[in-house]
Amino acid sequence: MSPRPNVSDERKAQILNAAEQVFNKKGFDLARMDDIADKTGLSKGTLYLYFKSKDDLIIAILERIFQGVFRQLERREGDELSATEAVSQFTEAAIRDYKRMLHIIPVAYEFLALAFRNKTVQKALKQYFRHYMDVLVPMIQRGIDSGEFRQVDPQEVAIAAGAIYEGTVLLWVYDSTLIDMERHIRSSIRLLLEGIQVPA
Amino acid sequence: MSPRPNVSDERKAQILNAAEQVFNKKGFDLARMDDIADKTGLSKGTLYLYFKSKDDLIIAILERIFQGVFRQLERREGDELSATEAVSQFTEAAIRDYKRMLHIIPVAYEFLALAFRNKTVQKALKQYFRHYMDVLVPMIQRGIDSGEFRQVDPQEVAIAAGAIYEGTVLLWVYDSTLIDMERHIRSSIRLLLEGIQVPA
DNA sequence: ATACTATAACTGACCGGTCAGTCATGTATT
DNA sequence: AATACATGACTGACCGGTCAGTTATAGTAT
């Protein structure tokens, strides 16, 4: 048996949590390994027992975030609902996601800037977006087939919806006093849906 | 008379152009003052004759960008058009703006991340967004008053449109092969407008 | 024309602070 | 004793910013 219990997983999570907070507060570059060490209550040397570099730490954080988002996206449901209701439920799930992720938004935008310079990041974003489209496009297509929606291009509608989700978060960053993320995502999607519904 | 002609304005522009390129390519922190100096063909010392720090340089770049956008926003026209046409023209202007700004998008996202940590940046963004709303909300209100649009909340519609503009750019960053910025901004705004128009 | 002067424009070696990453040493557990 | 875990002082590369010195040019004097 080991002379000491294996604490590797706890330590890693503990370090990632601290690092996430520090990165959010200061940004990648201004975040010091010493800051993260202080936050965990461990020493800097110990960080390097569990992560071999600062980059390694960042990558691990981003992976953890994307894993969460993918899990959420993959939970498809509501095939028995009307297309409007299905999109609305999807929207509610998206809102829950965004609210859960509010605290890592600063890192997320730094990550976006990085996308222009890093192939791996580009791939992750592309994959995330395709996932999203794979869920939403068929949902809209079903609405068209059932006569609930007009003859629109389902991909264009899905892109409009995606733009509304992501864009509302951005507007909220611009001015959080004027934008209520939850309310405005909901109202914008409602306007979009009303535009494609076949009048009763 | 001066022993040498004043080249201050040309130099500043020259340095800002070079800095913009380098910041876009490497990001703010990885960009070296020496890189910028090399790009201009001037020496590092000369940069400091015109800008007192690296921060000063990035601030000047962002100011230049915002000035351009404000100039665009303030050019109101089209009071004699239908509201739909006015919004469409505004959209075309926005598309032109975005296309013109494509090359500084990486810096823009770094700037957004900064918004969470910097009051000045927060103020600039807020101002930008208010400007935008000040133009678009009355445009939509006019459509409602004239009976062209349904009784919707004009602010909600303006926010939806703003989210579409900004969000489409973001989706394009995610996957530039799937998103045609110009086409998808246009189609999404069209869907939105169709949703608020009073049926003929 | 030529030489001289004043000064704006420019240069680049250098300084000093910073910080990611290392490692010799120590401690707790079995 | 053996092993896993932990420490924090230390190192050295790096880079923003400085400044003593150099160069170019417009005007002036001869």
Side-chain angles (χ1 to χ4, degrees):
Chain A
M1 271 288 110
S2 287
R4 300 204 27 197
N6 187 309
V7 291
S8 178
D9 287 346
E10 305 153 56
R11 284 282 173 283
K12 277 185 179 166
Q14 179 184 0
I15 293 167
L16 286 180
N17 290 337
E20 203 173 282
Q21 287 177 52
V22 175
F23 284 140
N24 264 292
K25 192 161 157 202
K26 302 206 174 189
F28 286 148
D29 290 281
L30 264 61
R32 301 290 151 237
M33 291 303 271
D34 282 313
D35 297 336
I36 297 167
D38 287 353
K39 193 115 206 163
T40 57
L42 297 166
S43 72
K44 188 159 74 158
T46 303
L47 301 188
Y48 283 89
L49 292 177
Y50 297 98
F51 297 93
K52 71 178 199 298
S53 70
K54 192 180 175 184
D55 281 353
D56 209 45
L57 206 45
I58 290 163
I59 289 165
I61 287 175
L62 294 172
E63 266 175 5
R64 206 169 61 155
I65 292 167
F66 270 92
Q67 265 176 11
V69 174
F70 283 147
R71 238 198 318 280
Q72 193 72 16
L73 271 180
E74 270 153 13
R75 278 193 355 211
R76 347 185 149 204
E77 289 160 28
D79 279 352
E80 68 293 337
L81 300 170
S82 75
T84 302
E85 278 162 349
V87 173
S88 296
Q89 283 214 356
F90 183 83
T91 301
E92 293 306 315
I95 288 172
R96 277 197 301 278
D97 266 2
Y98 287 124
K99 283 168 83 173
R100 208 164 37 79
M101 282 170 63
L102 275 192
H103 67 113
I104 53 96
I105 283 190
V107 191
Y109 283 111
E110 267 187 312
F111 185 57
L112 276 179
L114 228 137
F116 289 86
R117 299 184 267 282
N118 184 309
K119 287 272 174 213
T120 313
V121 174
Q122 272 168 34
K123 236 184 222 165
L125 284 179
K126 203 173 265 196
Q127 211 185 358
Y128 161 64
F129 183 51
R130 301 266 161 135
H131 257 271
Y132 159 83
M133 291 292 280
D134 286 349
V135 176
L136 209 55
V137 170
M139 217 177 255
I140 293 156
Q141 183 62 60
R142 202 161 55 77
I144 298 169
D145 294 343
S146 71
E148 190 180 342
F149 294 155
R150 294 165 24 215
Q151 293 287 336
V152 287
D153 178 336
Q155 181 151 318
E156 280 187 355
V157 176
I159 287 170
I164 285 170
Y165 297 145
E166 301 284 330
T168 307
V169 176
L170 230 153
L171 296 187
W172 174 81
V173 172
Y174 289 173
D175 191 339
S176 56
T177 62
L178 221 59
I179 298 291
D180 176 335
M181 222 179 62
E182 190 164 349
R183 179 186 142 207
H184 287 118
I185 288 181
R186 235 176 243 135
S187 69
S188 298
I189 292 291
R190 203 194 50 238
L191 288 171
L192 178 69
L193 285 176
E194 286 170 356
I196 64 171
Q197 276 158 356
V198 171
Chain B
M1 272 290 108
S2 286
R4 308 256 312 249
N6 188 313
V7 291
S8 178
D9 287 347
E10 308 160 48
R11 283 284 172 282
K12 277 184 180 168
Q14 180 185 359
I15 292 168
L16 286 181
N17 291 338
E20 203 171 286
Q21 285 177 54
V22 175
F23 284 143
N24 266 292
K25 190 160 158 203
K26 301 206 174 188
F28 182 71
D29 289 282
L30 265 60
R32 300 291 147 236
M33 291 305 271
D34 283 313
D35 297 335
I36 297 168
D38 287 352
K39 194 117 209 162
T40 57
L42 297 165
S43 72
K44 187 160 72 160
T46 303
L47 301 188
Y48 284 90
L49 292 178
Y50 297 99
F51 298 93
K52 72 178 201 298
S53 69
K54 195 179 177 186
D55 281 352
D56 209 46
L57 208 43
I58 187 76
I59 289 166
I61 287 175
L62 295 170
E63 265 173 8
R64 204 167 64 155
I65 291 166
F66 271 95
Q67 265 175 11
V69 174
F70 283 147
R71 239 197 319 280
Q72 192 72 16
L73 272 180
E74 270 152 16
R75 276 194 354 212
R76 343 186 151 205
E77 289 160 29
D79 280 353
E80 68 293 338
L81 300 169
S82 75
T84 302
E85 277 163 349
V87 173
S88 296
Q89 283 211 357
F90 182 83
T91 301
E92 292 305 317
I95 288 172
R96 278 197 300 277
D97 266 2
Y98 287 124
K99 282 168 87 174
R100 208 164 38 78
M101 284 170 61
L102 274 191
H103 66 114
I104 52 96
I105 283 190
V107 191
Y109 283 112
E110 267 187 312
F111 184 58
L112 276 178
L114 229 137
F116 289 87
R117 298 183 269 281
N118 184 309
K119 287 272 173 210
T120 313
V121 174
Q122 272 168 33
K123 237 185 222 165
L125 285 179
K126 203 171 262 195
Q127 211 184 358
Y128 161 64
F129 183 51
R130 301 268 161 134
H131 256 273
Y132 159 83
M133 292 292 281
D134 287 347
V135 176
L136 208 56
V137 170
M139 216 177 255
I140 293 155
Q141 184 62 59
R142 204 161 54 77
I144 297 169
D145 295 342
S146 72
E148 190 180 342
F149 294 155
R150 293 163 28 213
Q151 294 288 335
V152 286
D153 179 338
Q155 179 150 320
E156 280 187 355
V157 176
I159 288 170
I164 286 169
Y165 296 145
E166 300 284 330
T168 307
V169 176
L170 230 151
L171 295 186
W172 174 82
V173 172
Y174 289 173
D175 192 337
S176 55
T177 60
L178 220 59
I179 298 292
D180 176 335
M181 223 178 60
E182 191 164 349
R183 180 187 141 209
H184 287 117
I185 287 181
R186 235 176 243 135
S187 70
S188 297
I189 292 292
R190 203 193 52 239
L191 287 171
L192 179 68
L193 287 175
E194 286 170 355
I196 65 170
Q197 277 157 357
V198 172

